[in-house]
């Protein structure tokens, strides 16, 4: 009787035997000879997982794993969730894990067990099941304040061990009762010792989640922590934290004025000594909060104009100054559009000019056009694409030869030739007019049908010239027909339709223009319609629903939404590569 209750073994002739604990503690014990342990039944082995003697528990567990009996799962599940023996539960859980039969129910039942040893082992097992059972994350995070330090340590080990797996982040942070501010502070204490891609992403994700809460105190605390004594060792996680805030704060409706006190801290991060990645992250936040005027800003203006300052810092300073409420003279930016200046500085000057209102910045860029390298011209053309006045300036420059047609690029050419503003659209089609003899163009490209095409290069051609309007294998934009439907057609037929898009317009992809009763003009393909409304989808993928009562006139274009002229952007070899990609 004493043996059953206390778990002690008899001495003498009974030494070397084990017993099975009966369901009711204190009941009769069934003795089994250790030499015949391999002959016992599955249920007897499972019951011995609760044996007070460790050797017997481990032996029973080993035999279960060796035999892998089909009838063990239900018995193990019951032991893992109902046994009064903590060690029995732990052994049953690990045996289920070894057999690949662990269930979420068995884990969840033991995360709240009164014995910390059971909770600790359960956390360790649960780490391999987070991806398959995301709901476990919420249960695990409830243990962050567990009274037992071993449990808290195991929970931390779980997160650190899987920190490179982004799905662990999402599972952990999606818990309903998670406290992201507390997790952020814990991460600073435990994950900031060395940079890895996973750790950077975790800091970014936690900070992004904090911004989504809209809690001013927590957001300000992240900024304070990320701007305190930055060094080469801390800059990586401080930058990631600010990146996370900058990523989501603009989407939340959070008022930047609530972070007025943080502006000076962020501005102090924009120095030549600040690690570059932290400096750039601070710039992104200042673009949201605004840049405070004062001596610090004036110092940056002077450094940006100083050719002796490090180019990377000058570029960042120019970008920062462009966000300031007090606008410096435009000459600060135009004087940096000089071939003698580093490319990064010139690119920053172009971006800064693009943020200024009016047409004067664009006129200044056109005056500098002859000295701009191709990489800079790409940035410069983008400045003209944001309003109709600037588009007209660009079209005028193309028409008189100051800007080359090829520089505009096919993607922007398509946008201009399909602009919502009808005068811009007509002017673009005049400026980019090509020969009306499409048969002549097709004949010039016949060599593309015999040249060896490279599908990998063709992917690059697709992304540059086609992805603006078409999808292929999940890439691109769903404006025109999915080009995967072309695989069964001949290369010659595909090329002819590319060079002569008006020859065959796919059903459902006509280009419509709606004139509304309030004077607007909206163009696009017909994305959907019902009895009371239609929806037009433009080149950017934006859907605009229109009530039929609000439409004064609706007309379909006589030609394709894809304008002619792609031959101005592709060589015969590039056409051969594109065909190889489309046929792959």
């Amino acid at each position: 009787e004493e043996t059953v209750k206390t778990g002690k073994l008899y001495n003498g002739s009974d030494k070397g035997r084990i017993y099975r604990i009966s369901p009711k503690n204190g009941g009769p014990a069934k003795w089994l000879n250790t030499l015949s342990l391999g002959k016992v039944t599955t249920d007897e082995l499972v019951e011995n997982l609760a044996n007070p003697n460790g050797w017997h528990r481990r032996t029973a567990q080993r035999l279960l794993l060796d035999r892998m009996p089909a009838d063990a799962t239900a018995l193990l599940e019951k032991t893992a969730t109902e046994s009064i023996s903590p060690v029995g539960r732990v052994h049953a859980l690990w045996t289920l894990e070894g057999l690949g039969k662990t269930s979420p129910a068995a884990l969840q039942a033991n995360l709240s067990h009164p014995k910390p040893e059971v909770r600790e082992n359960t956390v360790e097992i649960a780490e391999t099941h987070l991806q398959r059972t995301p709901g476990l994350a919420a249960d695990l995070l409830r243990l962050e304040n567990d009274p037992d330090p071993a449990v808290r340590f195991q929970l931390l080990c779980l997160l650190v061990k899987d920190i490179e797996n982004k799905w662990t982040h999402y599972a952990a942070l999606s818990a309903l009762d998670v406290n992201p501010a507390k997790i952020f502070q814990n991460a600073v204490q435990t994950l900031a010792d060395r940079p890895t891609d996973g750790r950077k992403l975790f800091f970014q994700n936690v900070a992004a989640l904090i911004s989504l809460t809209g809690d001013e105190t927590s957001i300000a605390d992240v900024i304070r922590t990320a701007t305190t004594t930055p060094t080469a060792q801390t800059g990586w996680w401080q930058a990631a934290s600010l990146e996370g805030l900058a990523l989501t704060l603009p989407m939340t409706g959070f008022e930047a004025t609530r972070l007025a006190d943080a502006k000076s801290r962020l501005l102090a991060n924009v120095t030549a000594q600040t690690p570059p990645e932290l400096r750039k992250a601070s710039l992104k936040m200042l673009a949201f909060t605004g840049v405070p005027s004062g001596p610090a800003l004036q110092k940056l203006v002077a450094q940006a104009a100083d050719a002796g300052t490090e180019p990377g810092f000058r570029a960042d300073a120019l970008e920062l100054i462009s966000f300031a409420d007090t606008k410096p003279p435009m000459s600060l930016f135009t004087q940096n559009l000089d071939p003698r200046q580093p490319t990064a500085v010139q690119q920053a000057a172009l971006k800064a000019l693009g943020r200024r209102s009016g047409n004067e910045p664009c006129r200044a860029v056109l005056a500098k056009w002859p000295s701009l390298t191709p990489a800079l011209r790409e940035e410069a053309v983008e400045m003209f694409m944001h309003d109709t006045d600037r588009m007209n300036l660009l079209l005028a420059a193309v028409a008189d030869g100051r800007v080359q047609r090829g520089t505009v690029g096919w993607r922007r050419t398509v946008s201009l030739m399909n602009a919502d503003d009808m005068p811009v659209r007509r002017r673009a089609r005049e400026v980019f007019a090509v020969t009306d003899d499409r048969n002549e163009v097709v004949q010039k490209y016949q060599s593309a049908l015999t040249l060896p095409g490279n599908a990998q290069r063709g992917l690059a051609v697709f992304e540059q010239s086609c992805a603006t309007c078409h999808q292929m294998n999940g890439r691109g934009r769903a404006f025109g027909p999915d080009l995967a439907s072309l695989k069964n057609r001949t290369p010659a037929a595909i090329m002819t339709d590319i060079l002569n898009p008006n020859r065959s317009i796919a059903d459902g992809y006509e280009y419509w223009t709606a004139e509304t009763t309030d004077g607007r003009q909206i163009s696009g393909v017909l994305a959907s319609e019902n009895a009371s409304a239609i929806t037009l989808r433009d080149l950017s993928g934006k859907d605009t629903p229109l009530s039929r009562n609000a439409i004064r006139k609706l007309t379909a274009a006589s030609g394709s939404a894809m304008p002619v002229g792609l031959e101005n952007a592709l060589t015969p070899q590039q056409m051969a590569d594109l065909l190889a990609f489309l046929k792959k």
Side-chain angles (χ1 to χ4, degrees):
E1 182 73 15
E2 181 66 13
T3 302
V4 175
K5 289 182 178 180
T6 64
K8 294 179 180 178
L9 290 177
Y10 283 115
N11 292 321
S13 60
D14 289 324
K15 190 175 182 179
R17 297 182 178 184
I18 66 170
Y19 61 88
R20 181 182 68 192
I21 297 180
S22 61
K24 293 183 179 180
N25 203 17
K30 180 178 180 181
W31 292 90
L32 300 169
N33 191 302
T34 56
L35 298 177
S36 61
L37 188 59
K39 299 178 182 179
V40 299
T41 63
T42 298
D43 63 333
E44 290 172 334
L45 289 176
V46 171
E47 290 186 29
N48 271 285
L49 294 177
N51 193 303
N53 184 283
W55 181 89
H56 299 309
R57 293 195 303 271
R58 289 191 295 271
T59 301
Q61 182 174 344
R62 177 180 61 77
L63 290 171
L64 285 166
L65 292 174
D66 287 344
R67 294 180 184 179
M68 301 182 68
D71 59 341
T73 303
L75 295 168
L76 289 167
E77 182 91 10
K78 184 175 182 179
T79 300
T81 56
E82 299 180 11
S83 176
I84 61 173
S85 167
V87 293
R89 286 194 177 217
V90 170
H91 275 279
L93 284 171
W94 281 110
T95 306
L96 284 168
E97 182 71 3
L99 294 171
K101 300 294 184 180
T102 302
S103 70
L107 294 173
Q108 290 164 333
N110 287 287
L111 285 173
S112 57
H113 194 278
K115 287 290 185 179
E117 295 83 2
V118 177
R119 301 196 300 275
E120 178 186 354
N121 277 272
T122 307
V123 170
E124 187 175 353
I125 295 171
E127 72 180 61
T128 61
H129 296 269
L130 283 176
Q131 284 185 251
R132 294 192 297 273
T133 314
L136 277 174
D139 299 297
L140 288 170
L141 286 172
R142 293 189 185 98
L143 300 177
E144 65 176 341
N145 294 316
D146 194 279
D148 188 83
V151 176
R152 298 197 302 273
F153 178 76
Q154 188 59 53
L155 191 65
L156 176 61
C157 288
L158 182 157
L159 181 59
V160 172
K161 180 179 178 180
D162 279 351
I163 201 67
E164 300 305 310
N165 185 337
K166 66 179 181 180
W167 298 110
T168 298
H169 303 184
Y170 300 149
L173 297 177
S174 63
L176 293 177
D177 56 352
V178 67
N179 183 341
K182 186 169 184 178
I183 289 178
F184 175 76
Q185 293 301 331
N186 288 339
V188 172
Q189 297 171 14
T190 58
L191 299 175
D193 58 317
R194 60 184 178 86
T196 69
D197 290 341
R199 292 180 181 215
K200 288 180 182 179
L201 182 61
F202 188 75
F203 274 101
Q204 182 175 318
N205 286 338
V206 175
L209 186 60
I210 288 173
S211 75
L212 291 175
T213 67
D215 184 75
E216 183 178 335
T217 300
S218 298
I219 293 170
D221 187 57
V222 173
I223 297 174
R224 178 190 58 76
T225 306
T227 54
T228 300
T229 327
T231 66
Q233 288 71 40
T234 64
W236 66 270
W237 65 262
Q238 291 175 310
S241 303
L242 293 179
E243 288 270 4
L245 291 181
L247 184 67
T248 51
L249 268 177
M251 309 174 190
T252 62
F254 189 91
E255 296 178 4
T257 53
R258 295 166 64 187
L259 296 175
D261 294 341
K263 291 182 182 180
S264 58
R265 300 188 67 91
L266 291 164
L267 185 59
N269 261 10
V270 186
T271 70
Q273 291 73 41
T274 304
E277 60 182 335
L278 178 56
R279 191 169 68 220
K280 292 182 182 300
S282 300
L283 284 175
K284 291 180 180 180
M285 277 300 298
L286 285 164
F288 173 74
T289 64
V291 181
S293 300
L297 180 61
Q298 293 307 312
K299 181 180 178 181
L300 280 175
V301 171
Q303 290 175 314
D306 183 0
T309 305
E310 190 269 320
F313 175 64
R314 284 181 64 200
D316 289 342
L318 284 169
E319 184 173 357
L320 173 64
I321 293 164
S322 71
F323 293 120
D325 295 332
T326 305
K327 302 296 183 185
M330 198 166 68
S331 60
L332 173 66
F333 307 112
T334 56
Q335 71 188 17
N336 281 301
L337 291 180
D338 188 300
R340 293 168 294 184
Q341 299 293 342
T343 299
V345 172
Q346 294 187 71
Q347 288 175 328
L350 281 170
K351 289 181 180 178
L353 285 169
R355 293 190 184 100
R356 296 177 77 102
S357 60
N359 291 334
E360 281 307 304
C362 290
R363 292 194 175 95
V365 169
L366 288 174
K368 296 276 189 177
W369 195 270
S371 65
L372 298 181
T373 63
L376 294 169
R377 289 180 178 183
E378 176 72 15
E379 184 72 46
V381 172
E382 197 61 38
M383 290 176 56
F384 294 84
M385 300 300 296
H386 301 299
D387 64 57
T388 55
D389 286 343
R390 291 187 172 192
M391 289 178 185
N392 281 317
L393 280 177
L394 176 62
L395 292 171
V398 173
D400 63 23
R402 286 176 293 160
V403 174
Q404 299 72 31
R405 286 179 173 83
T407 303
V408 177
W410 180 247
R411 174 177 62 83
R412 298 189 189 95
T413 298
V414 172
S415 295
L416 290 166
M417 295 175 81
N418 290 291
D420 285 341
D421 184 81
M422 191 62 71
V424 169
R425 187 192 306 183
R426 283 197 296 264
R427 181 63 172 146
R429 290 178 182 252
E430 293 171 1
V431 169
F432 294 105
V434 291
T435 177
D436 290 332
D437 191 347
R438 293 287 92 197
N439 291 330
E440 179 183 335
V441 173
V442 172
Q443 286 302 314
K444 288 182 179 179
Y445 273 77
Q446 288 303 302
S447 61
L449 300 176
T450 58
L451 290 170
N454 181 290
Q456 190 61 38
R457 292 198 305 263
L459 169 59
V461 176
F462 168 82
E463 291 178 338
Q464 178 181 348
S465 300
C466 308
T468 301
C469 300
H470 298 281
Q471 283 191 325
M472 178 73 176
N473 299 331
R475 295 183 173 92
R477 183 174 292 151
F479 177 75
D482 191 325
L483 298 186
S485 62
L486 301 178
K487 287 187 178 181
N488 294 328
R489 301 184 62 197
T490 66
I494 296 172
M495 185 179 76
T496 300
D497 281 350
I498 289 174
L499 296 174
N500 188 8
N502 293 325
R503 188 183 76 141
S504 175
I505 302 175
D507 289 341
Y509 289 98
E510 296 86 357
Y511 197 68
W512 296 85
T513 297
E515 297 180 22
T516 63
T517 53
D518 59 3
R520 292 179 297 154
Q521 283 190 339
I522 300 168
S523 300
V525 296
L526 192 62
S528 65
E529 65 174 320
N530 55 41
S532 59
I534 67 170
T535 298
L536 294 180
R537 177 173 297 152
D538 65 16
L539 282 168
S540 69
K542 176 186 175 183
D543 286 349
T544 302
L546 294 170
S547 168
R548 292 188 185 273
N549 294 332
I551 299 173
R552 187 173 67 83
K553 186 179 180 181
L554 182 66
T555 56
S558 58
S560 170
M562 174 180 170
V564 297
L566 184 56
E567 66 271 12
N568 291 330
L570 296 185
T571 65
Q573 181 59 65
Q574 289 174 315
M575 178 65 78
D577 294 336
L578 176 59
L579 292 172
F581 170 70
L582 296 177
K583 291 287 290 180
K584 183 178 178 181

